[in-house]
Amino acid sequence: MPLHHYLIVAAALFCTGLAIAITKRHFIGILLGIELMLNAVNINLVAFSRHDPEKLSGQLFALFVIVVAAAEVTVALAIILRVYGRYNTVDPDEVNDLKK
């Protein structure tokens, strides 16, 4: 398959993730949008790595992105649980003050 097919799929996935991250009202939906955007970046990195088979740097960068995404989800879910425990909601619009 040519490189531009991968890039089109990754661009569509990134735009979908961006739209989800902007329009969702819950923290979980925002996290899902961010994860979709990170997966689009991974598709781009692996596609460019496959385009130049002598260098594996794209695949290594994709591995680092996966590790960072896993750490980001872990921290974000801990924050979400903490916010829910304090405010009894996961709606970011309702959590507008630092003290309660």
Side-chain angles (χ1 to χ4, degrees), residues 5 7-8 14 19 47 59 76 89-90 96:
H5 290 296
L7 298 180
I8 290 171
F14 189 86
Q59 292 174 356
T89 185
V90 290
N96 57 2

Side-chain angles (χ1 to χ4, degrees), residues 34-55:
I34 292 170
E35 290 299 319
L36 280 176
M37 290 188 289
L38 288 172
N39 285 331
V41 170
N42 282 339
I43 289 173
N44 278 336
L45 290 171
V46 172
F48 283 121
S49 176
R50 188 173 177 195
H51 183 68
D52 187 12
E54 294 180 8
K55 294 183 180 179

Side-chain angles (χ1 to χ4, degrees), residues 8-10 17-18 30 34 54 65 75 81 85 91 94-95:
I8 290 171
V9 169
L18 183 63
I30 293 169
I34 292 170
E54 294 180 8
V65 169
V75 170
L81 288 174
D91 187 5
E94 291 182 18
V95 182

Side-chain angles (χ1 to χ4, degrees), residues 71-88:
E72 175 245 335
V73 166
T74 303
V75 170
L77 285 176
I79 291 170
I80 289 170
L81 288 174
R82 203 61 186 153
V83 166
Y84 182 76
R86 177 170 291 244
Y87 296 101
N88 293 327

